[in-house]
Amino acid sequence: YYPGPLEDAGRCTYQSPEERANIFSRLAFTWMTPLLEQGYRKPLQMEDTWELGREYRPEVVNASFQRNWQEELRSGKPSLFRATMRTYGLSLALGGFYKLVKDLVSFLNPILLSRLIGFVSRYNTPSAEPIEYGYFYAISMFLVATVQNVAFQQHWVQNQRVNCLLKISYTTAIYRKTMTLSNDARQKYSVGGIVTHMSVDSQRVADFTANFSHHLWSSPLQIILALYLLYQTLGWCTFAGVLVMLISIPTSARLSRSMRALNKMLMGYRDQRMKIMDEVLSGIKIIKLYAWETSFLKRIDEIRVKLELSTIRSYGVVQSMFSFIVTLVPFAVSFST
């Protein structure tokens, strides 16, 4: 697992064993075992970590993204979405494939369980199925659960890889852009706003693209399959649960809009706070000379406590209500059905 040390900025690192792992090691993540064992024996240090893979190095990631982004700029109508899809479309599609396998396989276990219950209920009766059928149902349930778990883990890991690459691409692209801004453009964007774009906004866009975009097609697919299987079992009673879900949609949508509005306000307050902090750090000598510390502290506290923290509190209340509805709806659907 450790081919040998590599010299990197004066410290000893090792080539990542993931690059040399076979397919079984990648599926079971056994290539992580040496690091986990070492971490169990003693606290890990920087020299215990592996060399960063070439595909994750900022210069490599940025070169690939910038090539597609420059093509978008030359087209006259640049689109961040198209540039992202050109660069990471195949990686996102691979994560979507794992998600599709996991969703489809997850519906096989209820079908197999129903068949197994039917096999047991008819056992030692004239209509009993051969014993081989029972073994087949039991073994299939184990295999289906295994495939579902493996597919889910691979989907999650692939999403984290894409998330990491997207964050690197967006952060580096914003940094490159700030280095080429004209004096007029610099007046429109504060340092705090640019830092927020690099740290917060880029992470949110990467999170949605890598983690939540798959739900746009996965959720309708799961709903359709679940309703079909329920209708096969319960008949028209299934639509009582559908009615409850439809009733809950307007409330959930309203809460989502409130959360989005509060989040937008929160980002604005954070930009204001970062702008004041930048002013304080830039003119700290003058502030100390004229003893203006108290005045600036009051300005920062006013934004942080009265505006930002109060908005966070309101956001938490709305988020709690949304979580309550999300938790309540499945029970209400089952109860109504």
Side-chain angles (χ1 to χ4, degrees), residues 285-328:
K285 291 183 179 181
I286 298 177
I287 293 175
K288 297 293 289 186
L289 178 64
Y290 290 98
W292 289 343
E293 299 98 322
T294 304
S295 176
F296 275 90
L297 279 174
K298 287 182 179 179
R299 290 180 60 189
I300 296 174
D301 286 341
E302 181 179 359
I303 296 177
R304 175 64 179 166
V305 178
K306 293 184 180 180
L307 298 178
E308 192 172 352
L309 287 181
S310 63
T311 305
I312 292 176
R313 189 179 298 109
S314 300
Y315 184 88
V317 172
V318 177
Q319 189 178 36
S320 300
M321 296 172 61
F322 183 81
S323 300
F324 173 74
I325 291 179
V326 170
T327 306
L328 178 65

Side-chain angles (χ1 to χ4, degrees), residues 144-179:
V144 165
T146 302
V147 172
Q148 179 182 353
N149 185 59
V150 170
F152 172 74
Q153 297 299 332
Q154 293 298 320
H155 164 71
W156 188 85
V157 170
Q158 182 66 17
N159 285 352
Q160 298 311 306
R161 289 197 184 102
V162 176
N163 193 330
C164 178
L165 297 176
L166 289 172
K167 178 65 185 305
I168 294 173
S169 300
Y170 296 155
T171 303
T172 309
I174 295 173
Y175 179 78
R176 286 169 57 94
K177 181 64 176 178
T178 57
M179 295 295 100

Side-chain angles (χ1 to χ4, degrees), residues 170-210:
Y170 296 155
T171 303
T172 309
I174 295 173
Y175 179 78
R176 286 169 57 94
K177 181 64 176 178
T178 57
M179 295 295 100
T180 59
L181 287 177
S182 62
N183 291 330
D184 294 337
R186 290 180 185 275
Q187 303 300 321
K188 300 178 182 179
Y189 302 99
S190 63
V191 175
I194 294 175
V195 171
T196 301
H197 286 320
M198 294 178 63
S199 60
V200 179
D201 297 338
S202 62
Q203 185 64 61
R204 290 180 179 274
V205 175
D207 287 340
F208 175 81
T209 305

